[in-house]
Amino acid sequence: MASKVTPISGFQEWLPRERIAEQYVLDTIREVFELHGFASVNTRAVEPVERLSDQGEDADKEIYAVSRLAGGDDEARLGLHFDLTVPFARYVLENSGKLMFPFRRYQIQQAWRGERPQRGRYREFIQADVDIIDAAELPGHYEAELLLVIADVFGRLPVGAYQVHVNNRKICEGFYRAIGIEDVIGTLRIVDKLDKIGEDGVASLLLAAGCSQEQADRCLALARIRTSDTSFVQQVRALGVSHPVLEEGLTHLASVMETAAEHAPGVAVADLRIARGLDYYTGTVYETMLERDPGYGSVCSGGRYDALASDGKRTYPGVGISIGVSRLLGLLIGEEGLTASRETPAAVLVAVNDEETRSDSIRIAAALRSRGVPTLVAPKAAKFGKQIQFADRRGIPYVWFPGAGEGGGDAVKDIRSGDQVDADAASWTPPAADLHATLVTPGSSD
């Protein structure tokens, strides 16, 4: 007996037009990453559970453990990775003797998170990461460079206005230590919940963690600072707190903001509430918000990590940023209706006059494809009206008619306008705008 097919929440499966839109976004991201000199890598889907669970307070709750239905062995318990940074750090350690440093990598791959699905959060999702990692030392200018990479990506995608919120964990660490808080990581985790539970909720958690009322108030005062320039430095100093680590963080963040102001004006905002929940971040941290829907949360985030890629003998500091592709598309495609102009890559449908001459249609299609024109041969030698209807329903803009041109040559018809012209498969090419499917945003006339 066949089982009933039911959907499983937390997984994205797009229809053909939507899938083309997804591929457009992925291709754009890949193109920009490569323009900035990043090399592609791909890592295995699983890592030892112990390594995955060692990255933060709630990390173990996100891991899908992998087990076999039958048989087994004595290998370490494995889990599906829930981000791409931890696998990349392991990849660097295993291949350090074969890599050239600083190593610039990009990775566009699926990850899995074992949590309750909700808006913008999925059990299976695609991330697009860029990282720069070096041996022993990593210059701070790379932290500003990654922000410019993301500005380049988002400037080419239909995301509308956005801002990259930037902080430096050393600001928080130095500030907390200066006011007598020793549990820096625990305090960062609490402050990171500001968007979810608000100031009152964070204050209550800080008090429960052993902070005094004054310490809690000062933590919140720091987290309220948000500027579009380097004036955050003066605002922090006005709080009357000093510490060497705090000063180091202020200097680094000011440098990032100055670079952003010069090369990507209006994109970055210094936001001292940004903490990032994972423990491995040590310096600059990023979160990217869409201005039209800031409540949706970050669609691109990351930061600097100084000790994640370390085996006790060697340490490779790095900085990385990750675009939550599935999260972004859940909004653009799933909620706002972004789609493609056709449901197939084909720009041309070659009609079939009758089954005896199908080989002629196949030869025409081959000639068009050899010059990069995506082409489909009609499935049936039906009446031409039905073949045109077949193309129209799929958004294919042109239909090619063998032998319908002057002197027994071929003709091609733009079925949108009705214009038909004689054409030779060895030379005819559609306009560039029609060669590939294009994005269609809700409300557009395309």
PDB file of all heavy atoms in Angstrom, residues 27 88 124 140 177 179 213 223 255 262 271 295 298 302 368 378 393-394 401-402 405 407 423:
ATOM      1  N   ASP A  27      23.996  32.060  -8.551  1.00  0.00           N
ATOM      2  CA  ASP A  27      24.998  32.380  -9.571  1.00  0.00           C
ATOM      3  C   ASP A  27      25.568  33.779  -9.357  1.00  0.00           C
ATOM      4  O   ASP A  27      26.765  34.016  -9.573  1.00  0.00           O
ATOM      5  CB  ASP A  27      24.383  32.285 -10.971  1.00  0.00           C
ATOM      6  CG  ASP A  27      24.112  30.854 -11.407  1.00  0.00           C
ATOM      7  OD1 ASP A  27      24.663  29.927 -10.769  1.00  0.00           O
ATOM      8  OD2 ASP A  27      23.349  30.658 -12.368  1.00  0.00           O
ATOM      9  N   PHE A  88      34.998  24.254   7.748  1.00  0.00           N
ATOM     10  CA  PHE A  88      36.102  24.905   7.048  1.00  0.00           C
ATOM     11  C   PHE A  88      37.357  24.963   7.914  1.00  0.00           C
ATOM     12  O   PHE A  88      38.474  24.740   7.432  1.00  0.00           O
ATOM     13  CB  PHE A  88      35.691  26.313   6.621  1.00  0.00           C
ATOM     14  CG  PHE A  88      36.818  27.121   6.048  1.00  0.00           C
ATOM     15  CD1 PHE A  88      37.489  26.684   4.917  1.00  0.00           C
ATOM     16  CD2 PHE A  88      37.202  28.321   6.623  1.00  0.00           C
ATOM     17  CE1 PHE A  88      38.538  27.421   4.377  1.00  0.00           C
ATOM     18  CE2 PHE A  88      38.241  29.061   6.101  1.00  0.00           C
ATOM     19  CZ  PHE A  88      38.916  28.617   4.971  1.00  0.00           C
ATOM     20  N   GLU A 124      16.810  22.359   6.818  1.00  0.00           N
ATOM     21  CA  GLU A 124      17.818  22.214   5.769  1.00  0.00           C
ATOM     22  C   GLU A 124      17.885  23.538   5.029  1.00  0.00           C
ATOM     23  O   GLU A 124      16.848  24.087   4.650  1.00  0.00           O
ATOM     24  CB  GLU A 124      17.442  21.086   4.808  1.00  0.00           C
ATOM     25  CG  GLU A 124      18.422  20.878   3.678  1.00  0.00           C
ATOM     26  CD  GLU A 124      17.966  19.797   2.725  1.00  0.00           C
ATOM     27  OE1 GLU A 124      16.927  19.990   2.059  1.00  0.00           O
ATOM     28  OE2 GLU A 124      18.640  18.760   2.641  1.00  0.00           O
ATOM     29  N   GLY A 140      43.949  43.181  10.219  1.00  0.00           N
ATOM     30  CA  GLY A 140      42.594  43.640  10.456  1.00  0.00           C
ATOM     31  C   GLY A 140      41.878  44.180   9.241  1.00  0.00           C
ATOM     32  O   GLY A 140      40.643  44.251   9.230  1.00  0.00           O
ATOM     33  N   ARG A 177      34.818  43.679  31.354  1.00  0.00           N
ATOM     34  CA  ARG A 177      35.882  43.454  32.339  1.00  0.00           C
ATOM     35  C   ARG A 177      36.149  44.727  33.153  1.00  0.00           C
ATOM     36  O   ARG A 177      36.416  44.651  34.366  1.00  0.00           O
ATOM     37  CB  ARG A 177      37.151  43.002  31.627  1.00  0.00           C
ATOM     38  CG  ARG A 177      37.024  41.632  30.972  1.00  0.00           C
ATOM     39  CD  ARG A 177      38.364  41.021  30.654  1.00  0.00           C
ATOM     40  NE  ARG A 177      38.229  39.757  29.931  1.00  0.00           N
ATOM     41  CZ  ARG A 177      37.889  38.595  30.459  1.00  0.00           C
ATOM     42  NH1 ARG A 177      37.626  38.530  31.756  1.00  0.00           N
ATOM     43  NH2 ARG A 177      37.800  37.507  29.726  1.00  0.00           N
ATOM     44  N   ILE A 179      34.053  46.923  34.119  1.00  0.00           N
ATOM     45  CA  ILE A 179      33.018  47.157  35.138  1.00  0.00           C
ATOM     46  C   ILE A 179      32.869  45.967  36.078  1.00  0.00           C
ATOM     47  O   ILE A 179      31.904  45.886  36.838  1.00  0.00           O
ATOM     48  CB  ILE A 179      31.665  47.515  34.488  1.00  0.00           C
ATOM     49  CG1 ILE A 179      31.119  46.356  33.640  1.00  0.00           C
ATOM     50  CG2 ILE A 179      31.779  48.783  33.653  1.00  0.00           C
ATOM     51  CD1 ILE A 179      29.703  46.616  33.101  1.00  0.00           C
ATOM     52  N   GLN A 213      22.749  45.634  39.619  1.00  0.00           N
ATOM     53  CA  GLN A 213      21.864  46.485  38.842  1.00  0.00           C
ATOM     54  C   GLN A 213      22.675  47.503  38.042  1.00  0.00           C
ATOM     55  O   GLN A 213      22.380  47.790  36.872  1.00  0.00           O
ATOM     56  CB  GLN A 213      20.875  47.213  39.757  1.00  0.00           C
ATOM     57  CG  GLN A 213      19.833  48.051  39.015  1.00  0.00           C
ATOM     58  CD  GLN A 213      18.910  47.182  38.168  1.00  0.00           C
ATOM     59  OE1 GLN A 213      18.248  46.290  38.681  1.00  0.00           O
ATOM     60  NE2 GLN A 213      18.861  47.449  36.864  1.00  0.00           N
ATOM     61  N   ALA A 223      24.961  48.714  24.814  1.00  0.00           N
ATOM     62  CA  ALA A 223      24.231  48.075  23.719  1.00  0.00           C
ATOM     63  C   ALA A 223      23.330  49.049  22.967  1.00  0.00           C
ATOM     64  O   ALA A 223      22.966  48.796  21.821  1.00  0.00           O
ATOM     65  CB  ALA A 223      23.399  46.915  24.254  1.00  0.00           C
ATOM     66  N   SER A 255      38.110  51.579  12.155  1.00  0.00           N
ATOM     67  CA  SER A 255      38.765  51.342  10.878  1.00  0.00           C
ATOM     68  C   SER A 255      37.808  50.702   9.876  1.00  0.00           C
ATOM     69  O   SER A 255      37.773  51.073   8.696  1.00  0.00           O
ATOM     70  CB  SER A 255      39.993  50.447  11.078  1.00  0.00           C
ATOM     71  OG  SER A 255      40.606  50.150   9.844  1.00  0.00           O
ATOM     72  N   GLU A 262      34.069  54.984   2.841  1.00  0.00           N
ATOM     73  CA  GLU A 262      34.756  55.380   1.610  1.00  0.00           C
ATOM     74  C   GLU A 262      34.321  54.549   0.413  1.00  0.00           C
ATOM     75  O   GLU A 262      34.116  55.085  -0.682  1.00  0.00           O
ATOM     76  CB  GLU A 262      36.267  55.255   1.798  1.00  0.00           C
ATOM     77  CG  GLU A 262      37.067  55.650   0.560  1.00  0.00           C
ATOM     78  CD  GLU A 262      38.559  55.546   0.749  1.00  0.00           C
ATOM     79  OE1 GLU A 262      39.002  55.205   1.883  1.00  0.00           O
ATOM     80  OE2 GLU A 262      39.302  55.793  -0.232  1.00  0.00           O
ATOM     81  N   ASP A 271      26.852  49.057  15.523  1.00  0.00           N
ATOM     82  CA  ASP A 271      25.730  48.691  16.397  1.00  0.00           C
ATOM     83  C   ASP A 271      26.290  47.844  17.535  1.00  0.00           C
ATOM     84  O   ASP A 271      26.591  46.664  17.355  1.00  0.00           O
ATOM     85  CB  ASP A 271      24.692  47.917  15.588  1.00  0.00           C
ATOM     86  CG  ASP A 271      23.418  47.646  16.363  1.00  0.00           C
ATOM     87  OD1 ASP A 271      23.429  47.815  17.597  1.00  0.00           O
ATOM     88  OD2 ASP A 271      22.418  47.264  15.739  1.00  0.00           O
ATOM     89  N   GLY A 295      12.447  43.043  11.380  1.00  0.00           N
ATOM     90  CA  GLY A 295      12.022  41.991  12.278  1.00  0.00           C
ATOM     91  C   GLY A 295      12.290  40.594  11.750  1.00  0.00           C
ATOM     92  O   GLY A 295      12.220  39.623  12.502  1.00  0.00           O
ATOM     93  N   SER A 298      18.635  38.776  10.780  1.00  0.00           N
ATOM     94  CA  SER A 298      19.805  38.881   9.921  1.00  0.00           C
ATOM     95  C   SER A 298      19.752  37.873   8.776  1.00  0.00           C
ATOM     96  O   SER A 298      19.453  36.699   8.974  1.00  0.00           O
ATOM     97  CB  SER A 298      21.076  38.664  10.740  1.00  0.00           C
ATOM     98  OG  SER A 298      22.213  38.709   9.919  1.00  0.00           O
ATOM     99  N   GLY A 302      28.355  36.983  10.465  1.00  0.00           N
ATOM    100  CA  GLY A 302      29.636  36.326  10.611  1.00  0.00           C
ATOM    101  C   GLY A 302      30.552  37.112  11.524  1.00  0.00           C
ATOM    102  O   GLY A 302      30.091  37.912  12.344  1.00  0.00           O
ATOM    103  N   LEU A 368      21.450  25.680 -32.749  1.00  0.00           N
ATOM    104  CA  LEU A 368      21.205  26.806 -31.838  1.00  0.00           C
ATOM    105  C   LEU A 368      21.956  26.598 -30.520  1.00  0.00           C
ATOM    106  O   LEU A 368      22.592  27.513 -29.993  1.00  0.00           O
ATOM    107  CB  LEU A 368      19.710  26.968 -31.586  1.00  0.00           C
ATOM    108  CG  LEU A 368      18.867  27.452 -32.778  1.00  0.00           C
ATOM    109  CD1 LEU A 368      17.375  27.313 -32.481  1.00  0.00           C
ATOM    110  CD2 LEU A 368      19.201  28.899 -33.109  1.00  0.00           C
ATOM    111  N   ALA A 378       9.816  20.548 -29.726  1.00  0.00           N
ATOM    112  CA  ALA A 378       8.430  20.274 -29.353  1.00  0.00           C
ATOM    113  C   ALA A 378       8.224  18.775 -29.132  1.00  0.00           C
ATOM    114  O   ALA A 378       8.765  17.952 -29.877  1.00  0.00           O
ATOM    115  CB  ALA A 378       7.483  20.782 -30.429  1.00  0.00           C
ATOM    116  N   ARG A 393       2.797  28.691 -22.414  1.00  0.00           N
ATOM    117  CA  ARG A 393       2.527  28.277 -21.040  1.00  0.00           C
ATOM    118  C   ARG A 393       3.806  28.152 -20.218  1.00  0.00           C
ATOM    119  O   ARG A 393       3.763  28.273 -18.991  1.00  0.00           O
ATOM    120  CB  ARG A 393       1.774  26.946 -21.035  1.00  0.00           C
ATOM    121  CG  ARG A 393       0.308  27.079 -21.458  1.00  0.00           C
ATOM    122  CD  ARG A 393      -0.362  25.725 -21.501  1.00  0.00           C
ATOM    123  NE  ARG A 393      -1.797  25.851 -21.762  1.00  0.00           N
ATOM    124  CZ  ARG A 393      -2.612  24.819 -21.958  1.00  0.00           C
ATOM    125  NH1 ARG A 393      -2.133  23.576 -21.925  1.00  0.00           N
ATOM    126  NH2 ARG A 393      -3.899  25.020 -22.192  1.00  0.00           N
ATOM    127  N   ARG A 394       4.897  27.933 -20.877  1.00  0.00           N
ATOM    128  CA  ARG A 394       6.174  27.787 -20.171  1.00  0.00           C
ATOM    129  C   ARG A 394       7.016  29.050 -20.204  1.00  0.00           C
ATOM    130  O   ARG A 394       8.121  29.078 -19.664  1.00  0.00           O
ATOM    131  CB  ARG A 394       6.948  26.609 -20.779  1.00  0.00           C
ATOM    132  CG  ARG A 394       6.314  25.274 -20.423  1.00  0.00           C
ATOM    133  CD  ARG A 394       6.676  24.176 -21.399  1.00  0.00           C
ATOM    134  NE  ARG A 394       6.049  22.913 -20.974  1.00  0.00           N
ATOM    135  CZ  ARG A 394       4.767  22.628 -21.184  1.00  0.00           C
ATOM    136  NH1 ARG A 394       3.968  23.495 -21.806  1.00  0.00           N
ATOM    137  NH2 ARG A 394       4.256  21.479 -20.767  1.00  0.00           N
ATOM    138  N   PHE A 401      10.061  27.676 -36.771  1.00  0.00           N
ATOM    139  CA  PHE A 401       9.274  26.880 -37.715  1.00  0.00           C
ATOM    140  C   PHE A 401      10.164  26.440 -38.868  1.00  0.00           C
ATOM    141  O   PHE A 401      10.538  27.240 -39.733  1.00  0.00           O
ATOM    142  CB  PHE A 401       8.094  27.692 -38.250  1.00  0.00           C
ATOM    143  CG  PHE A 401       7.099  28.084 -37.192  1.00  0.00           C
ATOM    144  CD1 PHE A 401       7.049  29.390 -36.711  1.00  0.00           C
ATOM    145  CD2 PHE A 401       6.229  27.141 -36.667  1.00  0.00           C
ATOM    146  CE1 PHE A 401       6.136  29.749 -35.740  1.00  0.00           C
ATOM    147  CE2 PHE A 401       5.303  27.491 -35.694  1.00  0.00           C
ATOM    148  CZ  PHE A 401       5.258  28.795 -35.227  1.00  0.00           C
ATOM    149  N   PRO A 402      10.525  25.140 -38.926  1.00  0.00           N
ATOM    150  CA  PRO A 402      11.344  24.627 -40.029  1.00  0.00           C
ATOM    151  C   PRO A 402      10.606  24.745 -41.361  1.00  0.00           C
ATOM    152  O   PRO A 402       9.423  24.377 -41.466  1.00  0.00           O
ATOM    153  CB  PRO A 402      11.578  23.165 -39.664  1.00  0.00           C
ATOM    154  CG  PRO A 402      11.343  23.099 -38.182  1.00  0.00           C
ATOM    155  CD  PRO A 402      10.276  24.106 -37.919  1.00  0.00           C
ATOM    156  N   GLY A 405      10.098  29.717 -43.845  1.00  0.00           N
ATOM    157  CA  GLY A 405      10.621  30.986 -44.325  1.00  0.00           C
ATOM    158  C   GLY A 405      10.589  31.093 -45.837  1.00  0.00           C
ATOM    159  O   GLY A 405      10.198  30.162 -46.557  1.00  0.00           O
ATOM    160  N   GLY A 407      11.571  30.952 -49.569  1.00  0.00           N
ATOM    161  CA  GLY A 407      12.400  30.035 -50.331  1.00  0.00           C
ATOM    162  C   GLY A 407      12.630  28.707 -49.642  1.00  0.00           C
ATOM    163  O   GLY A 407      13.609  28.017 -49.939  1.00  0.00           O
ATOM    164  N   ALA A 423      14.966  33.107 -40.615  1.00  0.00           N
ATOM    165  CA  ALA A 423      16.107  32.910 -39.720  1.00  0.00           C
ATOM    166  C   ALA A 423      16.919  31.700 -40.142  1.00  0.00           C
ATOM    167  O   ALA A 423      16.396  30.742 -40.715  1.00  0.00           O
ATOM    168  CB  ALA A 423      15.624  32.736 -38.283  1.00  0.00           C
TER     169      ALA A 423
END
